[in-house]
Amino acid sequence: MTIEGGVPLSRLTTIGTGGPARAFARPRSLGELGESLRHAAEHELEVVIVGLGSNVLAADEGVDALVLRLEGDLAQVEIRGELLVAGGGATNAVCLHRARDAGLGGFEFACAIPGTAGGGVKMNAGAYGRDWSDVLVRALVATESGEEWLGAAELGLAYRHSGLRPGQVIAQVEYRLEPRPSDEVKSQVAELVSRRKATQPTNKRTFGSVFKNPAGEVGAGRMLELCGLKGHRIGGAAISPMHANFIENADGATTADCIALMVEARRRAHEQFGVVLEREVVFVGGMELPGIHAAT
Ligand SMILES: Cc1cc2nc3c(=O)[nH]c(=O)nc-3n(C[C@H](O)[C@H](O)[C@H](O)COP(=O)(O)OP(=O)(O)OC[C@H]3O[C@@H](n4cnc5c(N)ncnc54)[C@H](O)[C@@H]3O)c2cc1C
């Protein structure tokens, strides 16, 4: 397995921003994954896993870590009865196709989530009232010292959150699905996708929801819309004119542009609604948002 240097995160993230990774590798088997994790430990390097990079914002200056993307065996999908077994790097799209072809339903909610099995577990991703915790049976978690299977409770899944620690890698996931005719799966997916296209900027470069929905009735998107932020632009990044909880790479955006927009959005939401919005997007590369008053 080759370990490369200088691969830009802008190539590995859906928003298309981010500087070079100090080291980058694509492990294709459990053995290679273990090798990568031990290499990182020996060189005292932090490990960052990137799935499709669809919920990641990486520092413009680069990331001082070993960045891993799971491929080969670690991205395979297999059906075993009513179980769908996916490598941590398998995309949701492939899992959904395989489930549909096997006459299995229950994963339709993931049709508009452009990520991988591992990213889904880490974020406990979800949509339309369902999330990973509803379908996950267990996940194989790899660390530098070996692998172990953990169930949903042990993974600490909660709203867009898991208890996974840095250095814990989801190598494989088992989902329990249920029999459902393929044409029903297909038509529900078509309906969910068209609903999504009508309300979210699915054809733009984004990293999905910027903030988690706060407690209460007003969601983050509606709140930011009421703050007049739709279309607000800083540098090459813009708050989506379609849905205010998305930031689009409108024209050569940098991560700094995206963060400046997040700071402004949080400031306004706090000023108008007294709410401190919590980010959903994962920061990679030692960044953090300033305290809410620092930006005012
Ligand atoms: C257009 C669009 C729509 C979206 N809609 C939704 C939605 O409806 N619901 C929703 O929940 N999310 C949504 N997202 C966000 C994102 O797609 C999900 O969070 C997704 O699960 C991230 O998966 P990923 O593989 O791309 O992970 P990445 O974005 O690459 O990484 C996210 C986090 O997971 C970690 N990670 C990734 N793979 C592994 C692994 N194998 N082991 C351990 N950690 C890992 C990363 O280190 C990082 O901390 C959307 C994003 C976009 C761009």
Side-chain angles (χ1 to χ4, degrees):
M1 184 192 43
T2 319
I3 297 190
E4 303 167 59
V7 172
L9 269 288
S10 57
R11 276 208 247 140
L12 304 173
T13 57
T14 53
I15 186 77
T17 67
R22 169 144 161 215
F24 175 65
R26 304 166 190 266
R28 299 180 60 81
S29 63
L30 269 181
E32 287 190 0
L33 177 57
E35 208 184 294
S36 316
L37 295 173
R38 286 188 293 279
H39 171 91
E42 275 159 27
H43 293 81
E44 295 183 3
L45 271 176
E46 193 193 325
V47 173
V48 171
I49 314 298
V50 174
L52 287 190
S54 60
N55 211 9
V56 164
L57 196 52
D60 292 318
E61 298 71 32
V63 175
D64 189 19
L66 171 61
V67 175
L68 299 178
R69 174 171 249 177
L70 311 186
E71 297 189 351
D73 291 351
L74 299 174
Q76 291 299 310
V77 180
E78 203 184 305
I79 303 282
R80 292 185 202 150
E82 290 179 12
L83 285 183
L84 186 143
V85 184
T91 64
N92 301 335
V94 169
C95 292
L96 186 53
H97 275 101
R98 294 295 301 276
R100 189 196 64 194
D101 290 350
L104 292 174
F107 199 58
E108 295 84 339
F109 74 89
C111 63
I113 304 178
T116 61
V121 175
K122 170 73 182 182
M123 303 308 299
N124 190 23
Y128 311 112
R130 301 201 81 196
D131 59 30
W132 249 243
S133 69
D134 292 312
V135 284
L136 182 131
V137 180
R138 58 182 191 157
L140 183 65
V141 179
T143 62
E144 57 168 287
S145 42
E147 298 108 35
E148 64 173 333
W149 286 98
L150 297 181
E154 293 161 301
L155 289 162
L157 302 184
Y159 173 59
R160 303 297 172 266
H161 173 84
S162 68
L164 280 178
R165 294 185 309 278
Q168 286 188 302
V169 184
I170 300 290
Q172 204 172 52
V173 180
E174 278 182 11
Y175 301 109
R176 180 165 301 283
L177 304 179
E178 69 247 8
R180 192 175 189 198
S182 303
D183 52 350
E184 272 186 33
V185 173
K186 199 172 169 183
S187 66
Q188 190 185 359
V189 165
E191 193 245 306
L192 294 177
V193 167
S194 73
R195 251 209 264 170
R196 194 49 89 100
K197 280 188 181 154
T199 53
Q200 293 184 10
T202 52
N203 59 348
K204 305 279 185 205
R205 302 202 75 165
T206 72
F207 46 75
S209 296
V210 180
F211 298 107
K212 296 184 184 184
N213 281 322
E217 279 173 18
V218 188
R222 179 72 183 136
M223 205 172 263
L224 298 177
E225 181 178 352
L226 291 169
C227 291
L229 280 164
K230 272 187 166 179
H232 187 75
R233 184 166 172 158
I234 295 181
I239 305 257
S240 168
M242 196 173 199
H243 192 305
N245 199 24
F246 283 76
I247 289 176
E248 296 177 3
N249 185 342
D251 182 17
T254 61
T255 289
D257 297 337
C258 299
I259 288 184
L261 278 177
M262 289 176 72
V263 168
E264 179 61 6
R266 284 177 99 219
R267 184 187 73 76
R268 291 213 209 165
H270 186 246
E271 202 172 272
Q272 292 197 31
F273 294 92
V275 164
V276 177
L277 288 175
E278 190 189 333
R279 66 181 161 84
E280 182 166 319
V281 59
V282 174
F283 283 178
V284 171
M287 308 172 299
E288 201 33 275
L289 291 172
I292 199 77
H293 293 293
T296 58

